[in-house]
Amino acid sequence: MRRALKGFGSYEAGLLGLLVLLMIGFGLADPAFLSLGAQLDLSGPLWESLLLAVPMTLIVVTGAIDLSVGAAVSLCAVCFGLMFQSTGSVLTSGMVSLGVGVLVGTVNGLLVSLINIHSLVVTLATMALGFGIAEGASRGQPFSGFGPTLNPVAKWAVVFAFGAAVWTAVWTRRSVTGQSLYVIGLNETAAEYSGYPVKRSKVALFVVQGLMAGLVAVIYAARRGSVKSDIGQGLELDVVTAVVLGGTSVFGGRGSVWGTVLGALLVHEVRQFASWHWERNELIPLLIGGLLLISVTAGRVIDGIKTPQ
Amino acid sequence: MSRALLLASLMLLTWACTSPPSADKKEKSGKTVICLLPKKKGVPYFTSCSVGAEAASKDLGDVELRYDGPTDGSAEKAAEMIEKWTAKGVDVIAVSCNDPGALASAMRAARAKGVKVVTWDADADADTREFFVNQATPEQIGFGLVDTMAKDLGDASGEVAIVTASLTAANQNEWIKHMKIRMAKYPNLRLVAVKPSNEDQKLAFDTTRDLMGAYPNLRGVFAISSVAFPGAAEAIKQAGKSGKVLVTGLATPNDMKAFVKDGTVTSVLLWKTEDLGYLTVEVGRALAKGELKAGATEFESRRLGKVKIAGDNVLLGDPMVFTKDNIDQFDF
């Protein structure tokens, strides 16, 4: 526990304080929202966005970004559905979903590191491609009827999410490779000349991100019992907001998994409360967009304090 | 320092989460809480349904209406809303279902917790809801379209064609089936073509223009999707055949107002969306109060009088025909 908590610094403590204050505020405004039952009932999407936000943290730490997560989830989900339709096997379909995720990640990683195009552009393109293929391959039709074999996967989502977070938090602090990601983010050229495997690390990170997208697609299928090509739409906004709100610098070199966990929790609670209390769906993008702006600004201020011009 | 803060915060959080939820379960007022979920929030069609629902909740007095839905039409967000309302312990959830598969588990879970679930506008699996407030059966629409065309033509004779959504669209194919049945009543009305427009206004325009070229004696066009209708009307208008080739179909009055006023379109068919919202709220309330039970064959509506119930479908009644004389009274 102590090892895992290394890297829980003052920014993270501040975030936790903010989260607690918000929850108390939400509780005062609407006590039923805070009940354990309600929180558990509404928690489904949280584990999925956490699973995506943890690898995203590492990608952003190296100074890159993956905007195609949502599209990757959609594409994996559609492939899951198509495979299930033709084979009827949940296991095969799950494997296909993970495989497609890895494929998307590999394409992203190779384009970013070998051809050296900025990840923002590469993943913007693969995002459009992913959604397009998902929509086209499924013709916009939903897939359902996966049966009870898939059900336990949804319950395991929380274990997967926490496992991924704890393991990654320790790994980034304790391992040389984990630490090297920060070096890459601070100065990629210097990292390369110092003998760090910059390209290999980047490809690996994008592949892991893709694999997680595949896993999230399966979890979603288990939770909802139905998948459609639009399920990943807008996910990238939530995931990137969680990461940036968690204190990871969009310029690379700074960030922590614990910050991301708290960021994801904040995004989730704000989203759920807005939906719960005001019942105005159009408010939610407004709030999430606002959170993202505030956190980027806050990050800029922190960077400014640390490195005076 | 941060370690201590962490501990303190965690304790506070646990305390906050375990504090007993106040007796919010049945909400403060003792009113029946009805949640109306559209397929997509912010589109005129559903907004006008919500206006009717709002009117019903005012008239009834003992209903608290909540209208919310996904602004992007995503089924996942709709399912999340159903789960949220279930957790809040509302009385009734009325769903316009954009994906039966994705919403089924949330709707079943809501019913298991004692929430009354009905569908309106678009139905879901039969075991996920108690009643469907059905705005128009395929028979009502198919018959309505043919009857309207026959009346507008005056002598109910000549060549007519259908511009449909896509050739695989389930709704439209049902309507076409019933249109063909009804045409038997008008032996001089001859259906010469059924063409797709793939929900593309430009394609509907081209298709209608080509139909007029291929069938010089064409007297009427059924444009049976809300996208195809304005496209077809525009083609007839630009060909200078307003009034010579009639066009009718389903669309909201606002979309077609200009065409109705310049004489290109004589009649527009659609159900009264406000009445649909109104009836849905009434059905929801009656269900929650135990006044409406499975097996009923009639329902007494304040605004619509007696409406029929066929099986578990509460029927809104015949579609409304909008013409030059009444179209200005409607704004949706």
Side-chain angles (χ1 to χ4, degrees), chain A residues 79-229:
Chain A
C79 291
F80 179 92
L82 284 169
M83 202 57 191
F84 182 80
Q85 220 172 35
S86 59
T87 65
S89 157
V90 169
L91 190 68
T92 321
S93 313
M95 287 301 161
V96 166
S97 176
L98 297 182
V100 171
V102 168
L103 188 73
V104 174
T106 312
V107 170
N108 278 336
L110 288 180
L111 284 174
V112 167
S113 59
L114 293 189
I115 312 183
N116 220 354
I117 320 170
H118 197 286
S119 53
L120 195 71
V121 184
V122 170
T123 57
L124 186 64
T126 49
M127 165 173 142
L129 279 172
F131 277 128
I133 297 171
E135 178 85 30
S138 65
R139 301 198 179 147
Q141 289 305 305
F143 302 92
S144 52
F146 307 130
T149 18
L150 201 55
N151 288 348
V153 180
K155 297 202 178 76
W156 281 92
V158 50
V159 180
F160 290 147
F162 272 112
V166 171
W167 186 84
T168 313
V170 175
W171 182 75
T172 46
R173 289 285 141 192
R174 304 282 296 186
S175 77
V176 179
T177 326
Q179 283 288 296
S180 76
L181 301 180
Y182 290 84
V183 182
I184 296 173
L186 284 171
N187 191 334
E188 200 171 316
T189 324
E192 204 149 358
Y193 281 119
S194 318
Y196 287 108
V198 174
K199 291 198 165 135
R200 205 149 30 103
S201 302
K202 278 202 172 178
V203 176
L205 287 181
F206 277 102
V207 169
V208 171
Q209 182 77 71
L211 183 69
M212 285 301 155
L215 179 62
V216 165
V218 178
I219 293 173
Y220 180 93
R223 177 164 70 91
R224 214 32 107 199
S226 163
V227 293
K228 197 171 168 236
S229 57

Side-chain angles (χ1 to χ4, degrees), chain A residues 18 36 50 64 81 102 109 123 125 144 187 204 228 230 243 245 253 271 277 280:
Chain A
L18 180 65
L36 201 60
L50 249 182
V102 168
T123 57
S144 52
N187 191 334
K228 197 171 168 236
D230 68 355
V243 170
L245 185 60
R271 176 186 274 286
H277 190 65
R280 293 260 184 283

